[in-house]
Amino acid sequence: MEPGRLEKFPSPGRGSGLRALKRTRPGELLYLAEPFACAVTKRQLGAVCERCLRRSERLLRCSRCKVARYCDSRCQKEAWQEHKRECKCLKSIEPNLPPDSVRLVGRIVFKLLGQSATCPSEKLYSFSDLQSNV
């Protein structure tokens, strides 16, 4: 993100907002970052890489949990720090698999507990800034 291009602002009763500080062209990319956490749905398991989310017919399977799949060894290595805790949990309950929402919450909790590496998107919003929209 280019410094001075975007700002976060409070929107009472509605949470927070993000606005451009400079004139933008239609279709111009304003911000791009890795997600804080994501989980492949059960329906898509085996069809997309857990790291880069690319579709592939031939994915490498995690040899421990047998659930996570990766398009190549590079994606598998990049994902290991975040996957290793989930891997241990998945292995302990096999052959069962928790619902997608539980896997996602687990990934969020593991990331918050680790807090060694922050996600670039947290420069704008930290996890604790999130508010319920209910």
Side-chain angles (χ1 to χ4, degrees), residues 1-125:
M1 180 179 75
E2 212 176 290
R5 297 249 345 215
L6 300 174
E7 84 173 342
K8 184 172 106 173
F9 65 94
S11 183
R14 297 172 67 193
S16 298
L18 191 62
R19 66 177 153 229
L21 296 174
K22 296 181 179 180
R23 196 175 244 338
T24 59
R25 296 181 308 276
E28 181 179 351
L29 180 64
L30 299 176
Y31 185 72
L32 177 67
E34 292 279 321
F36 184 80
C38 66
V40 174
T41 64
K42 283 183 187 177
R43 198 177 78 227
Q44 294 297 317
L45 282 174
V48 298
C49 174
E50 290 271 347
R51 171 74 180 108
C52 68
L53 304 177
R54 285 192 200 111
R55 291 188 178 282
S56 178
E57 296 287 321
R58 298 167 28 108
L59 295 168
L60 303 174
R61 185 175 65 176
C62 174
S63 61
R64 291 185 182 170
C65 70
K66 313 268 192 280
V67 174
R69 298 188 186 247
Y70 303 97
C71 56
D72 56 33
S73 58
R74 181 186 54 81
C75 274
Q76 191 169 12
K77 285 176 186 170
E78 288 177 7
W80 179 243
Q81 284 305 310
E82 291 186 6
H83 175 64
K84 66 181 174 182
R85 283 178 141 167
E86 178 187 42
C87 185
K88 186 176 180 180
C89 294
L90 291 172
K91 182 76 176 152
S92 73
I93 63 167
E94 80 177 334
N96 299 315
L97 190 63
D100 300 337
S101 57
V102 172
R103 285 186 61 225
L104 179 59
V105 168
R107 288 177 176 203
I108 291 169
V109 169
F110 291 148
K111 190 157 189 174
L112 290 172
L113 289 174
Q115 279 305 323
S116 55
T118 57
C119 184
S121 62
E122 289 184 277
K123 291 178 183 169
L124 285 175
Y125 287 98

